[in-house]
Amino acid sequence: MHRIPTHIGIIPDGNRRWAVNKGLSKEKGYIYGLKPGIKLYELCREMGVKELTFYGFTQDNTKRPSVQTNAFRKACVDAVRMLSQRDASLLVIGDVNSPLFPRELKPYTEKRKIFGKGLFKINFLVNYGWKWDINKIIKSGNINQLSQKGLFDSIASSQLSRIDLIIRWGGRRRLSGFLPIQTVYSDIYVIDDLWPDFKKEHFYKALKWYQDQDVTLGG
Amino acid sequence: MHRIPTHIGIIPDGNRRWAVNKGLSKEKGYIYGLKPGIKLYELCREMGVKELTFYGFTQDNTKRPSVQTNAFRKACVDAVRMLSQRDASLLVIGDVNSPLFPRELKPYTEKRKIFGKGLFKINFLVNYGWKWDINKIIKSGNINQLSQKGLFDSIASSQLSRIDLIIRWGGRRRLSGFLPIQTVYSDIYVIDDLWPDFKKEHFYKALKWYQDQDVTLGG
């Protein structure tokens, strides 16, 4: 393949629907989303992708029943732990000032933590909110400073680069608040299968489709 | 149909490709995008949609050759004129402080102009830029005022409501900077046909698809 996206965003949707299809209760689905994450990491490394951002959970998601919020919070902690045993540099982006933020992940929010050779960047959005992200601007100082610094350097996720390709599992064709600033020009590929049913072929199909997209950025 | 989107966003892409396919030069495509716009307006009125936003052109688009920028600027002026003869209230959103903004449209930018019974809202993005839209925050006063007023009431497009459904013609699966704040939870339906090849059936298909989408807003 001649065009490899530099930064891929992953929306791993469908864990609850998958669990229900299997006769399990909804919250049991999240744990089956861990292995797909590791597989995807490996495929991205092989293909030369430089940065990968996983949509963990959002502040809007935390309105769900606590049996579910506990399950997806734990899945995020486990995912970060598993990936910290690989070559990658990890960064967690999310609102730490909430009891719903898993405190185990706090050390990953301050600066990128390097594991192994660390060349590959992985970002996790954990207790993330698009409003929270952009509202950070207000906390960044006075208007004159902001004008000089640049508004987009003042959002909470300013360390994350522009996303080239978003792959969403679970059939929904929307962004659901996923990094509105970094995704303005992202190509969006939707896979109808649910995230726990991840197959290598999904990823290859998305990359193959991406080959034929032009990157004009409006020009 | 039991679920009609309140606010539909339209990305009328593919005018240039359509022209090239017909053996015309690229800029000739825009004029063929006018009739589809009127047809779409009529269908939306019939179906009970309340608000419609057309993606006219963006500041990024203005980097194109002037023969093209002149053509799409003229098409926007013509479209607004045609729609001003119907029942609708029109609002144009875009950066007027640029020679590329068509001055004929300036009166539509200050406040919504009502034509006929005016119940149906139509918005046109003309010389719009997502950075320009959000950067407006900086020009809105001091940080304390912003905190009180709410950040999202200070963007340039703050008069536009959340978009329920985006329909994009021309096959590209991306937002291309279309109102990043209003589209965070929009369902996105892509039609492979090019905009000048608009058919009623495209619209009906999009609405039919929308019936089966759930609106969870992350909950």
Side-chain angles (χ1 to χ4, degrees):
Chain A
M1 299 203 202
H2 58 287
R3 286 184 69 220
I4 298 296
T6 303
H7 186 175
I8 297 183
I10 299 295
I11 307 183
D13 195 22
N15 295 281
R16 292 186 295 172
R17 284 175 278 160
W18 185 90
V20 170
N21 291 349
K22 298 278 173 193
L24 302 169
S25 53
K26 285 181 178 176
E27 74 280 4
K28 301 282 190 227
Y30 295 109
I31 198 170
Y32 294 92
L34 291 173
K35 257 196 198 164
I38 299 290
K39 276 193 217 159
L40 190 67
Y41 157 82
E42 284 166 358
L43 289 170
C44 283
R45 293 259 347 226
E46 272 170 39
M47 297 302 285
V49 174
K50 302 281 182 241
E51 188 167 358
L52 191 59
T53 297
F54 285 99
Y55 208 14
F57 71 89
T58 70
Q59 294 180 314
D60 288 332
N61 297 154
T62 61
K63 296 168 202 154
R64 297 177 187 169
S66 66
V67 62
Q68 287 179 30
T69 59
N70 289 336
F72 63 61
R73 289 169 66 220
K74 187 175 179 315
C76 282
V77 174
D78 290 345
V80 172
R81 278 198 184 131
M82 284 163 83
L83 287 164
S84 70
Q85 284 158 32
R86 312 266 169 154
D87 280 333
S89 66
L90 291 177
L91 182 68
V92 171
I93 301 275
D95 184 3
V96 297
N97 298 316
S98 152
L100 287 159
F101 187 91
R103 59 191 159 71
E104 301 92 321
L105 297 183
K106 218 165 171 178
Y108 298 90
T109 59
E110 277 132 40
K111 69 188 278 275
R112 202 173 272 289
K113 281 222 169 194
I114 295 171
F115 296 94
K117 289 176 214 137
L119 294 172
F120 185 74
K121 289 183 185 172
I122 300 182
N123 314 305
F124 262 92
L125 306 192
V126 174
N127 200 38
Y128 173 85
W130 66 273
K131 283 188 182 173
W132 165 83
D133 191 359
I134 299 178
N135 263 320
K136 183 75 189 295
I137 290 169
I138 291 180
K139 291 166 188 144
S140 304
N142 69 43
I143 293 279
N144 289 338
Q145 281 172 342
L146 268 179
S147 302
Q148 280 163 27
K149 202 184 162 196
L151 198 62
F152 303 103
D153 291 330
S154 305
I155 62 174
S157 64
S158 62
Q159 289 182 69
L160 309 198
S161 68
R162 193 172 79 72
I163 294 181
D164 302 292
L165 170 65
I166 294 167
I167 315 178
R168 180 170 187 145
W169 274 259
R172 307 282 187 240
R173 303 190 201 169
R174 57 190 177 227
L175 291 178
S176 302
F178 184 58
L179 296 168
I181 302 303
Q182 288 87 343
T183 60
V184 287
Y185 277 115
S186 304
D187 284 301
I188 306 165
Y189 189 82
V190 176
I191 287 163
D192 285 330
D193 287 346
L194 306 174
W195 173 244
D197 286 328
F198 173 88
K199 288 181 193 67
K200 274 185 184 183
E201 289 67 37
H202 294 153
F203 179 71
Y204 293 136
K205 265 191 198 164
L207 276 197
K208 193 167 177 293
W209 171 80
Y210 184 75
Q211 301 308 301
D212 301 324
Q213 306 311 305
D214 57 337
V215 178
T216 64
L217 306 180
Chain B
M1 299 207 204
H2 58 288
R3 287 183 70 219
I4 298 295
T6 303
H7 186 175
I8 297 183
I10 299 295
I11 307 183
D13 194 22
N15 295 282
R16 292 185 295 171
R17 284 175 279 160
W18 185 89
V20 170
N21 291 348
K22 298 279 173 193
L24 302 168
S25 53
K26 287 181 177 177
E27 75 280 4
K28 301 281 190 228
Y30 295 109
I31 198 169
Y32 294 92
L34 291 172
K35 258 196 196 165
I38 298 290
K39 277 194 216 160
L40 189 68
Y41 157 83
E42 284 166 358
L43 289 170
C44 283
R45 292 261 345 228
E46 273 171 37
M47 297 304 285
V49 175
K50 303 279 181 246
E51 189 168 357
L52 191 58
T53 298
F54 284 99
Y55 209 12
F57 71 90
T58 69
Q59 295 180 312
D60 287 332
N61 298 154
T62 61
K63 295 168 204 155
R64 298 177 188 169
S66 66
V67 61
Q68 289 180 30
T69 61
N70 289 335
F72 64 59
R73 289 167 67 219
K74 186 176 180 312
C76 283
V77 174
D78 291 344
V80 172
R81 278 198 184 131
M82 284 164 81
L83 287 163
S84 71
Q85 286 158 32
R86 313 268 170 153
D87 279 334
S89 66
L90 293 178
L91 182 68
V92 171
I93 302 274
D95 184 3
V96 296
N97 298 316
S98 151
L100 287 160
F101 187 90
R103 59 191 160 70
E104 301 92 321
L105 298 183
K106 217 165 172 179
Y108 297 90
T109 59
E110 276 132 40
K111 70 187 279 271
R112 201 174 271 291
K113 281 223 168 193
I114 295 171
F115 296 94
K117 289 176 212 136
L119 294 172
F120 185 75
K121 287 184 188 171
I122 301 182
N123 314 306
F124 262 92
L125 307 191
V126 174
N127 201 35
Y128 172 85
W130 66 272
K131 283 189 182 173
W132 165 83
D133 191 358
I134 299 178
N135 263 319
K136 184 76 188 294
I137 291 169
I138 291 181
K139 292 168 187 144
S140 303
N142 67 44
I143 294 279
N144 288 338
Q145 282 171 342
L146 268 179
S147 300
Q148 280 163 28
K149 201 183 164 196
L151 197 63
F152 302 104
D153 292 330
S154 304
I155 62 174
S157 64
S158 62
Q159 290 182 68
L160 309 199
S161 68
R162 193 173 79 72
I163 294 181
D164 303 293
L165 171 64
I166 294 167
I167 315 179
R168 179 171 187 143
W169 274 259
R172 307 282 186 238
R173 305 191 201 167
R174 56 188 176 228
L175 292 177
S176 303
F178 184 57
L179 295 168
I181 301 304
Q182 288 87 343
T183 60
V184 287
Y185 277 115
S186 304
D187 284 301
I188 306 165
Y189 189 81
V190 175
I191 287 163
D192 285 330
D193 287 346
L194 306 174
W195 173 244
D197 287 327
F198 173 89
K199 289 181 192 66
K200 274 185 183 183
E201 289 67 36
H202 294 153
F203 179 70
Y204 292 136
K205 265 191 196 166
L207 275 196
K208 192 165 178 295
W209 172 79
Y210 184 75
Q211 301 307 300
D212 300 324
Q213 306 311 306
D214 58 336
V215 179
T216 64
L217 307 181

